């Protein structure tokens, strides 16, 4: 049966786009973290919506599961196959066309495999802004962004990917194509079908193209790296910046000392922007607009200093200095990867509870694994913390083993405490295969039943990315 399917796929795509050699498939079967890998029956690389539909229909007839894959930068092992060797990885990497751009309507129509940075560049070339920005933007694709409902550093002002999407084209699990590529702002004609596929992590179909929103550019920036004593001060400062800057507030990111130290250690040329500060926390705050924004930022920070919320602030005086500050924030994932074992958590809490939550969870984790390093950073303006744990520094270098041994207990403590605060255990990375079971245990039975009903209605054979999102 698998030989028949491979033959059919080769006829549909051409032999060169059906990869089965070990060396050819290697990059597609291991995730970005390197911690999760599997085996694939084949990796297929269709070049058009019609070819995607052919692949999906052929797999449907053969009863073979499909794992869609974009840039493979996901952090929850949702885009790599399991260990069975029976799944087909469907890479969107050849579908990189920008089909249309309409600056006046504020829309761009792109194929799913277009890399996020290329969408940004195409928008800029047309005098518009595509605001979504992630540390992985040089590799992740718009199809992956939609499928994970990605967040990033511009959510505070522009919203998650879902809020940037107007229409989708999707190949359904039986191979039919749903053409929902409409750029309409107003369309009250029933269920919002696009929203079913956004954040579905490839479990309901393959997104092949999308109409995304564009915005007027915001070329003027005011950026500062601000040392704050604690998370409570960071949250209070957020309110002050909002009051002074209003809709100009574009980014509000938090970084703790452990995260900054990792970047200073591993990012070539990185320098501490506030070397004299003793604070354990810093925020990267940026205003964006079309006219000078230094005044509102200085006013907010001046008031914060008077209230004892700020220890030190470094302003970016040029775009080069701005890039230097941003590199510190964006280098954290890479720096932590260099250090080896990491327990990643991506949680959201009501902003008002953030400070209390971090104060409450820290001693609990310390009691489970003394010396565990909390590498905390993230989009605090969205209530979202990347709450990652690195091993204790121990003689003999066995800290990683201790972290892995305590992993279950540490993660359960974090998730229990997030659930108790009515937060979310996955703010923006999705569930993949690593968090699917945990998510089900923190959702109500009604919520799980609704999700299963949608899955069963669209993919009754369960062939779209099994094991991801729904355990
Ligand atoms: C350094 C770094 C920084 C990051 N920062 C952020 C951040 O700030 N915010 C954030 O949200 N995420 C972040 N991520 C995670 C990741 O980049 C995002 O989840 C991104 O949206 C994944 O896109 P991708 O193209 O790489 O998708 P992949 O990793 O290839 O796939 C992700 C999931 O989507 C599915 N999928 C992919 N393409 C399609 C498609 N066309 N149709 C159907 N299903 C599909 C896959 O099956 C999988 O389940 C970061 C990752 C890294 C490595």
């Amino acid at each position: 049966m698998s030989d028949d399917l491979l033959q059919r796929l080769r006829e549909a795509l051409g032999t060169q786009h059906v990869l089965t050699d070990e060396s050819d498939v290697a990059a597609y079967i291991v995730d970005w973290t390197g911690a999760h890998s599997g085996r694939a029956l084949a990796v297929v690389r269709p070049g058009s919506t019609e070819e995607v539909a052919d692949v999906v229909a052929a797999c449907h007839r053969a009863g073979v599961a499909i794992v869609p894959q974009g840039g493979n930068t996901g952090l929850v092992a949702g885009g790599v196959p399991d260990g069975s060797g029976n799944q087909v990885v469907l890479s969107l990497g050849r579908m990189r066309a920008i089909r249309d751009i309409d600056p006046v309507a504020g829309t761009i129509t792109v194929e799913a495999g277009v890399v996020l940075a290329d969408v940004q560049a195409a928008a800029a070339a047309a005098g518009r802004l595509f605001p979504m920005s992630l540390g992985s933007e040089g590799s992740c694709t718009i199809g992956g962004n939609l499928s994970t409902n990605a967040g990033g550093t511009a959510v505070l002002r522009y919203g998650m990917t879902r809020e940037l999407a107007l229409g989708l084209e999707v190949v359904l699990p039986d191979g039919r194509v749903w053409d929902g590529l409409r750029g309409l702002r107003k369309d009250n004609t029933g269920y919002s079908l696009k929203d079913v596929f956004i954040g579905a992590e490839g479990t309901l179909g393959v997104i092949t193209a999308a109409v995304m929103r564009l915005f007027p550019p915001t070329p003027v920036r005011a950026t500062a790296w601000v040392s704050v004593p604690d998370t409570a001060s960071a949250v209070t400062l957020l309110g002050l910046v909002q009051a002074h800057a209003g809709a100009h507030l574009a980014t509000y990111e938090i970084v703790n000392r452990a995260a900054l130290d990792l970047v200073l250690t591993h990012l070539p040329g990185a320098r501490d922007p506030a070397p004299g500060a003793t604070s354990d926390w810093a925020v990267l705050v940026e205003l964006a607009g079309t006219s000078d924004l230094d005044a509102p930022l200085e006013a907010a920070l001046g008031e914060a200093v008077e209230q004892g919320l700020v220890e030190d602030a470094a302003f970016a005086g040029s775009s080069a200095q701005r890039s230097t500050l941003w590199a510190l924030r964006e280098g954290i994932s890479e720096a932590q990867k260099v250090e080896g074992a990491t327990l990643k958590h991506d949680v959201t809490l009501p902003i008002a509870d953030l400070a209390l939550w971090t104060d409450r969870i820290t001693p609990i984790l310390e009691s489970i694994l003394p010396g565990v390093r909390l590498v905390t950073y993230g989009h605090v303006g969205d209530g979202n913390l990347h709450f990652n744990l690195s091993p204790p520094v121990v003689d003999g270098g066995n800290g990683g083993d201790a972290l892995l041994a305590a992993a279950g207990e540490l993660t359960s403590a974090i998730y229990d405490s997030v659930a108790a605060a009515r937060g979310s255990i996955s703010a923006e990375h999705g569930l993949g295969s690593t968090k699917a079971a945990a998510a089900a245990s923190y959702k109500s039975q009604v919520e799980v039943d609704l999700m299963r009903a949608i899955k069963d209605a669209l993919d009754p054979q369960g062939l779209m990315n099994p094991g991801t999102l729904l355990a």
Side-chain angles (χ1 to χ4, degrees):
M1 168 59 92
S2 64
D3 285 347
D4 288 351
L5 175 62
L6 289 176
Q7 180 57 28
R8 174 73 197 92
L9 295 174
R10 288 186 181 112
E11 284 164 13
L13 306 185
T15 309
Q16 71 276 32
H17 299 307
V18 180
L19 314 179
T20 51
D21 282 357
E22 214 175 299
S23 58
D24 292 337
V25 304
Y28 297 88
I29 58 174
V30 57
D31 79 337
W32 184 87
T33 67
H36 304 279
S37 60
R39 290 165 55 234
L41 178 63
V43 174
V44 296
R45 305 184 75 243
S48 65
T49 303
E50 294 69 31
E51 288 187 358
V52 173
D54 282 350
V55 168
V56 175
C59 289
H60 183 253
R61 279 194 297 275
V64 168
I66 293 174
V67 181
Q69 189 180 96
N72 198 13
T73 67
L75 298 173
V76 287
V80 288
D82 65 17
S84 68
N86 295 328
Q87 300 182 326
V88 167
V89 175
L90 191 160
S91 166
L92 280 298
R94 287 178 61 225
M95 293 194 57
R96 294 197 169 190
I98 293 180
R99 292 189 188 168
D100 184 49
I101 184 158
D102 184 339
V104 176
T107 57
I108 186 167
T109 307
V110 292
E111 291 188 344
V114 180
V115 169
L116 173 54
D118 293 339
V119 184
Q120 296 166 345
R128 291 293 178 268
L129 171 74
F130 185 63
M132 192 197 305
S133 180
L134 316 181
S136 54
E137 64 197 22
S139 309
C140 65
T141 62
I142 208 74
N145 302 148
L146 286 157
S147 300
T148 57
N149 187 28
T153 52
V155 172
L156 191 57
R157 181 153 170 187
Y158 297 99
M160 303 282 281
T161 309
R162 186 185 299 284
E163 288 150 276
L164 301 175
L166 292 171
L168 296 185
E169 177 186 83
V170 181
V171 173
L172 302 175
D174 59 7
R176 285 179 300 159
V177 178
W178 172 54
D179 178 359
L181 272 186
R182 290 180 286 267
L184 304 174
R185 306 290 163 127
K186 295 186 163 181
D187 178 16
N188 279 346
T189 55
Y191 302 132
S192 178
L193 294 180
K194 72 177 165 60
D195 285 306
V196 172
F197 298 99
I198 297 171
E201 300 184 48
T203 60
L204 300 178
V206 182
I207 296 174
T208 47
V211 185
M212 306 300 292
R213 295 174 64 190
L214 300 179
F215 297 83
T218 54
V220 180
R221 309 286 165 105
T223 311
W225 184 272
V226 186
S227 304
V228 294
D230 46 36
T231 45
S233 303
V235 172
T236 311
L237 175 61
L238 171 63
L240 280 180
V241 180
Q242 284 168 332
H244 283 272
H248 292 302
L249 176 58
T251 295
Y252 196 84
E253 298 282 305
I254 199 163
V255 174
N256 79 346
R257 171 55 59 182
L260 179 61
D261 284 346
L262 282 180
V263 181
L264 295 176
T265 305
H266 296 295
L267 186 74
R271 282 192 307 110
D272 190 339
T278 55
S279 305
D280 280 340
W281 297 87
V283 290
L284 175 65
V285 53
E286 183 164 277
L287 313 187
T290 52
S291 56
D292 187 27
L293 291 163
D294 289 345
L297 185 55
E298 283 166 9
L301 292 178
E303 207 174 314
V305 170
E306 279 168 24
Q307 294 182 25
L309 301 171
V310 164
E311 187 193 0
D312 195 3
F315 287 83
S318 64
S319 63
Q321 285 175 5
R322 172 179 179 261
S323 303
T324 309
L325 296 181
W326 271 95
L328 295 173
R329 164 64 187 88
E330 291 187 329
I332 300 171
S333 296
E334 285 286 353
Q336 201 171 19
K337 193 176 177 187
V338 177
E339 288 261 315
T342 299
L343 261 189
K344 287 185 182 294
H345 307 95
D346 164 36
V347 302
T348 354
L349 293 134
I351 292 181
D353 299 338
L354 259 183
L356 196 61
W357 183 80
T358 46
D359 289 350
R360 198 183 305 134
I361 193 68
T362 302
I364 297 175
L365 300 177
E366 177 65 27
S367 72
I368 295 172
L369 181 60
V372 65
R373 282 176 293 156
L374 309 187
V375 179
T376 308
Y377 60 97
H379 319 295
V380 73
D382 313 322
N384 177 193
L385 291 179
H386 298 314
F387 202 74
N388 297 345
L389 310 186
S390 280
V393 178
V394 290
D395 295 337
N398 64 351
D401 294 341
L403 183 72
L404 293 179
E409 208 182 336
L410 292 164
T411 295
S412 293
I414 292 171
Y415 288 175
D416 286 351
S417 142
V418 166
R422 293 186 69 79
S424 167
I425 67 162
S426 185
E428 54 174 22
H429 294 162
L431 299 175
S433 57
T434 61
K435 296 183 186 168
S441 69
Y442 289 103
K443 285 182 183 291
S444 71
Q445 193 56 47
V446 173
E447 211 167 337
V448 172
D449 289 349
L450 285 171
M451 285 174 60
R452 279 244 163 257
I454 293 170
K455 172 75 173 169
D456 291 346
L458 270 76
D459 181 23
Q461 283 185 260
L463 295 179
M464 290 305 309
N465 217 357
T468 284
L469 197 140
L470 288 163

